[in-house]
């Protein structure tokens, strides 16, 4: 790999899809072209994998970072809004709760609101926790409006994400990036050349014979992990013992019912089924553990539980939960499925791509420092933290179950846990504490939602919450519920907001939004 500082660093993104084109878009928007030359290599012969089409609020942050217009992006991707994820039958059969993109309550004393709720619950004057969360009440009412600018009101106490067509999103980013000068190379990679002295990736060889050389390669080749795995041999660390689901069958169906502003995850006998409402259709899938269910049985279960008529043949996907032991090896960075996969239960796949891109941009070398090992070491440290903490959050959903009606749930309810997760559960059971860290995705409200939603209840609360007089606590809790209810009542229906803000040009999508 050359190190001259008198020429731009040559960056080659291998593979398109959501990961590749997100990386290309960020680099097109943020890099100095006099110092960096970016090319993306992909083949039209190779399809993309879109396991999930739901996102987290960081998707908006990414679009804002690269200056993508929200309404334009939503029209192009048939997108709708997402305020959280509804979990059905996870703790016990019949249970339902929403993991929201927002906080519970509002500050009104020395302690955290959650501690006041614990005290009020013990005193018999509290409603369910969900009643004190603006995005939960909004989602259940099928309403939506953008957060209020006034940060003092509960109407600002949430964020939002999107449901989108991942294929259309990649196509949108491709057009956006190419319009800003991104070089796309069409071709199927048939070989990888390595530097004989350093062992670095020197070039990828296309079926046409063309050689695409580079200084830094970003592997977005999906589960193939062509560079980071097959070529450089970065070991894959399996987390199957904790996250046993290893397959998914997916199918779109015709839309039916209201256009809900949330994703739904329904626990099934051998895994869980997703429902993601877009403007033009509904995305569905069954994620399952193949040791407990055959592919044919999974497909039959999925097709029997659709809102409308299936619009394509079901597509089977195989995967294994885990990550690369080293995500940045030599002169190659693995992003997306090439770097790891943690199933779409909490819509974290695109988030992990975003964080990988953010870390890479912050640590990007120039031609003079292209082989600085400290950069790779810091990238690997930070991305490992992201994976580990998301892993623990996903495991909690499986472990915090009281179901014994199927082998998967009996196993998950009694399985050994990572020490980090066991510690979190113990702290929460004691007084409802959720340790917070500077790095990592999910904050205290997310953990509180799953703990309480799946019937893990603290045995006590912080003594600071006892300082508030009983009558004031009761009035504060009642006033908060009333403020939330009044705010939600003023909001338009989700479908009406989508129709006025970002209705897609496609006629079927317009009819779908209008009908709901």
């Amino acid at each position: 790999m050359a190190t001259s500082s008198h020429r731009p660093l040559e960056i080659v993104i291998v593979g398109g899809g959501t990961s590749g084109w997100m990386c290309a878009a960020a680099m097109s928007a943020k890099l100095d072209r006099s110092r960096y030359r970016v090319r993306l290599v992909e083949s039209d012969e190779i399809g993309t994998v879109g396991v999930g089409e739901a996102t987290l609020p960081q998707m908006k942050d990414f679009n804002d970072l690269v200056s993508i217009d929200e309404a334009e992006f939503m029209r192009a991707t048939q997108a709708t809004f997402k305020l959280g994820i509804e979990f059905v039958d996870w703790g016990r059969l019949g249970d339902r709760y929403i993991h929201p993109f927002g906080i519970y309550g509002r500050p009104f004393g020395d302690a955290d609101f959650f501690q006041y709720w614990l005290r009020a619950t013990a005193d018999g004057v509290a409603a369910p926790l969900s009643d004190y969360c603006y995005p939960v009440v909004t989602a259940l009412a099928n309403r939506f409006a953008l957060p209020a600018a006034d940060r003092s009101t509960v109407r600002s106490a949430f964020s939002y994400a999107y449901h989108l067509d991942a294929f259309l999103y990649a196509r949108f980013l491709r057009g956006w990036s190419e319009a800003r000068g991104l070089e796309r190379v069409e071709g199927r990679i048939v070989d990888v050349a390595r530097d004989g002295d350093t062992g670095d990736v020197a070039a990828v060889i296309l079926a046409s014979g063309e050689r695409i050389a580079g200084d830094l390669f970003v592997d977005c080749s999906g589960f193939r992990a062509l560079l980071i795995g097959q070529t450089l041999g970065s070991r894959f660390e399996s987390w199957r013992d904790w996250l046993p689901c290893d397959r998914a069958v997916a199918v779109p169906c015709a839309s039916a019912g209201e256009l809900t502003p949330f994703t739904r995850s329904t626990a099934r006998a051998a895994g869980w089924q997703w429902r993601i409402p877009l403007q033009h259709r509904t995305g569905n899938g069954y994620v399952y553990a193949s040791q407990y269910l055959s592919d044919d049985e999974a497909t039959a279960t999925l097709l029997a539980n659709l809102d409308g008529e299936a619009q394509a043949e079901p597509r089977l996907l195989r995967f294994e939960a885990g990550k690369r032991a080293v995500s940045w090896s030599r002169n190659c960075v693995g992003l997306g499925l090439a770097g790891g996969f943690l199933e779409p239960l909490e819509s974290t796949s695109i988030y992990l791509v975003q964080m990988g891109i953010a870390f890479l941009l912050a640590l990007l070398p120039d031609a003079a420092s292209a082989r600085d090992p400290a950069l790779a070491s810091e990238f690997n440290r930070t991305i490992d933290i992201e994976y580990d903490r998301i892993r623990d959050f996903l495991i909690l959903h499986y472990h915090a179950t009281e179901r014994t009606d199927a082998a998967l749930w009996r196993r998950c309810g009694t399985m050994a846990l990572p020490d980090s997760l066991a510690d979190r559960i113990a702290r929460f059971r004691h007084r409802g504490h959720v340790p917070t860290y500077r790095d990592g995705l999910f904050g205290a409200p997310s953990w509180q939602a799953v703990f309480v939603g799946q019937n893990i209840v603290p045995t006590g609360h912080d003594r600071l919450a006892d300082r508030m007089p009983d009558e004031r606590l009761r009035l504060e809790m009642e006033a908060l519920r009333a403020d939330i209810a009044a705010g939600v009542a003023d909001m338009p229906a989700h479908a009406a907001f989508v129709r006025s803000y970002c209705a897609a040009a496609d006629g079927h999508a317009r009819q779908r939004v209008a009908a709901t």
Side-chain angles (χ1 to χ4, degrees):
M1 183 167 63
T3 60
S4 170
S5 61
H6 301 293
R7 63 168 181 81
L9 185 81
E10 299 273 354
I11 301 174
V12 180
I13 302 170
V14 174
T18 303
S19 300
W21 284 111
M22 286 183 70
C23 185
M27 290 184 171
S28 298
K30 295 300 178 181
L31 296 187
D32 181 347
R33 294 184 188 177
S34 69
R35 298 182 61 190
Y36 300 96
R37 180 192 181 194
V38 183
R39 287 175 290 174
L40 184 146
V41 181
E42 70 172 347
S43 171
D44 288 333
E45 299 176 17
I46 300 175
T48 60
V49 174
V51 173
E53 295 168 325
T55 64
L56 295 174
Q58 288 77 9
M59 171 65 87
K60 183 181 186 311
D61 297 337
F62 177 84
N63 287 349
D64 291 345
L65 174 72
V66 300
S67 301
I68 289 174
D69 179 83
E70 181 175 72
E72 178 187 2
F73 140 76
M74 293 186 71
R75 284 192 292 269
T77 60
Q78 301 278 2
T80 63
F81 291 97
K82 176 184 174 184
L83 292 169
I85 306 173
E86 181 184 42
F87 289 90
V88 180
D89 294 339
W90 279 81
R92 295 183 291 246
L93 288 171
D95 285 353
R96 306 178 86 97
Y97 71 93
I98 287 182
H99 166 204
F101 299 150
I103 64 172
Y104 291 99
R106 62 184 172 199
F108 53 63
D110 297 326
D112 180 76
F113 171 81
F114 186 71
Q115 295 297 326
Y116 288 111
W117 177 79
L118 289 176
R119 177 191 155 189
T121 299
D123 293 344
V125 297
L129 182 61
S130 58
D131 284 12
Y132 303 102
C133 184
Y134 197 84
V136 172
V137 178
T138 302
L140 292 176
N142 285 322
R143 295 176 181 270
F144 185 83
L146 298 176
D150 182 358
R151 304 301 295 176
S152 66
T153 173
V154 292
R155 303 184 192 199
S156 69
F158 71 98
S159 53
Y160 62 88
Y162 312 100
H163 303 121
L164 55 87
D165 185 312
F167 174 78
L168 294 179
Y169 183 54
R171 188 169 72 180
F172 172 82
L173 290 177
R174 172 180 170 178
W176 190 93
S177 301
E178 289 183 319
R180 286 153 181 80
L182 191 282
E183 298 180 55
R184 176 186 180 274
V185 179
E186 163 64 32
R188 181 169 55 86
I189 297 173
V190 295
D191 199 8
V192 179
R194 299 183 68 175
D195 186 295
D197 295 326
T198 66
D200 290 349
V201 175
V204 292
I205 314 301
L206 307 186
S208 65
E210 184 178 2
R211 176 187 175 96
I212 309 296
D215 301 306
L216 181 69
F217 290 81
V218 183
D219 188 347
C220 298
S221 64
F223 287 127
R224 293 174 65 205
L226 176 63
L227 302 183
I228 194 73
Q230 293 183 28
T231 301
L232 296 180
S234 178
R235 179 175 53 85
F236 184 82
E237 295 181 347
S238 174
W239 289 337
R240 177 178 287 184
D241 288 346
W242 292 314
L243 297 170
C245 290
D246 58 355
R247 295 192 185 179
V249 57
V251 67
C253 78
S255 302
E258 291 188 277
L259 192 66
T260 55
F262 55 87
T263 303
R264 178 174 295 134
S265 169
T266 302
R268 301 289 182 203
W272 58 276
Q273 180 176 331
W274 77 73
R275 176 188 179 274
I276 300 173
L278 307 181
Q279 292 189 39
H280 63 318
R281 61 174 172 81
T282 298
N284 309 275
Y286 186 178
V287 177
Y288 59 99
S290 61
Q291 69 183 105
Y292 300 116
L293 194 71
S294 71
D295 298 341
D296 289 343
E297 290 172 323
T299 301
T301 299
L302 176 62
L303 293 176
N305 288 279
L306 300 180
D307 289 349
E309 182 179 355
Q311 295 182 329
E313 288 298 315
R315 182 181 182 186
L316 180 66
L317 304 167
R318 292 179 172 85
F319 58 85
E320 184 173 5
K323 59 173 286 295
R324 297 286 161 191
V326 178
S327 297
W328 184 335
S329 176
R330 297 185 179 272
N331 65 330
C332 177
V333 179
L335 285 185
L337 301 178
F341 184 70
L342 292 181
E343 73 164 69
L345 180 61
E346 282 282 356
S347 309
T348 55
S349 294
I350 289 179
Y351 166 83
L352 285 166
V353 174
Q354 293 169 329
M355 294 310 298
I357 293 169
F359 297 154
L360 178 57
L361 290 178
L363 297 168
L364 201 61
D366 56 20
S369 61
R371 302 196 69 219
D372 184 351
L375 301 177
S377 177
E378 178 62 10
F379 180 92
N380 290 327
R381 184 190 72 82
T382 52
I383 202 70
D384 284 354
I385 289 173
E386 294 288 345
Y387 269 95
D388 287 351
R389 291 183 176 160
I390 291 172
R391 175 204 65 194
D392 283 2
F393 190 58
L394 298 185
I395 296 170
L396 174 64
H397 295 66
Y398 285 96
H399 180 69
T401 184
E402 299 176 52
R403 291 183 56 173
T404 58
D405 57 296
L408 172 67
W409 303 110
R410 290 193 293 271
R411 168 190 167 179
C412 290
T414 58
M415 66 182 170
L417 300 176
D419 291 342
S420 51
L421 177 56
D423 178 68
R424 275 186 180 264
I425 294 174
R427 289 171 182 252
F428 187 82
R429 285 188 186 278
H430 180 56
R431 284 193 174 182
H433 292 161
V434 177
T436 57
Y437 306 98
R438 184 188 68 178
D439 300 315
L441 172 59
F442 295 108
S446 296
W447 290 86
Q448 290 162 356
V450 179
F451 278 132
V452 174
Q454 295 188 208
N455 309 306
I456 294 180
V457 180
T459 57
H461 60 268
D462 281 356
R463 298 281 71 89
L464 282 175
D466 291 333
R467 296 184 60 195
M468 184 175 291
D470 292 347
E471 182 63 10
R472 183 191 166 193
L473 177 60
R474 183 184 66 80
L475 292 175
E476 290 280 9
M477 301 292 279
E478 289 180 356
L480 175 58
R481 288 184 75 199
D483 286 352
I484 291 174
V488 171
D490 288 342
M491 300 171 79
H494 177 223
F497 190 90
V498 170
R499 182 167 61 248
S500 64
Y501 185 73
C502 57
D506 177 78
H508 294 294
R510 289 199 304 271
Q511 293 172 15
R512 156 72 168 143
V513 173
T516 55

